[in-house]
Amino acid sequence: MAEIDVDDLLPNERVKQSVLAGDVTQLTRGASNRYADEGDTFELDGEPFEIVGVTKRTLGDFTDADARREGSPSLESYKQRMERVHPGPFEWDDSDEVVTYRFERQQNS
């Protein structure tokens, strides 16, 4: 268990604000880098969070529930958002390997 740099896991201010609002409770990143392990913690605007799950998977494993945890209303809208926000020629490929990080807000001690 370690304290991680929130900027490594959460890529931009919009995502950070969505996490603080409770609209985003997981984030999926490419499998080439490992950003956190289960039990790691991070702080966002003084609020503590803990990584409660780290899962290797493929984009084809995604469901509507995953999309909602990532702040999109449906899997289709999540796919469109990913294609829009990634620079260069990004195309959704069900076989692409990714890592999903699930996190929960903790009580301030």
Side-chain angles (χ1 to χ4, degrees):
M1 179 160 59
E3 173 115 6
I4 61 169
D5 184 345
V6 69
D7 293 327
D8 290 340
L9 180 63
L10 306 179
N12 59 52
E13 194 58 34
R14 186 198 66 77
V15 171
K16 291 174 186 171
Q17 292 307 310
S18 294
V19 168
L20 281 171
D23 298 330
V24 171
T25 59
Q26 80 177 30
L27 196 70
T28 299
R29 307 291 304 264
S32 60
N33 291 320
R34 181 78 173 228
Y35 295 94
D37 292 308
E38 193 168 324
D40 286 352
T41 59
F42 63 90
E43 192 171 289
L44 190 55
D45 287 353
E47 296 289 326
F49 290 82
E50 181 178 342
I51 305 294
V52 295
V54 178
T55 308
K56 289 182 95 171
R57 57 204 300 210
T58 66
L59 288 176
D61 295 329
F62 266 68
T63 65
D64 280 331
D66 286 308
R68 286 189 295 276
R69 285 189 288 271
E70 301 232 5
S72 292
S74 69
L75 181 57
E76 189 55 39
S77 66
Y78 178 73
K79 287 180 181 181
Q80 291 172 5
R81 189 179 90 205
M82 290 300 99
E83 290 174 351
R84 190 175 58 251
V85 300
H86 284 89
F90 174 85
E91 191 172 313
W92 186 277
D93 182 340
D94 282 347
S95 67
D96 281 350
E97 293 184 350
V98 294
V99 178
T100 297
Y101 302 91
R102 293 190 71 186
F103 38 84
E104 294 178 352
R105 187 184 311 255
Q106 304 299 296
Q107 297 294 323
N108 272 325
S109 40

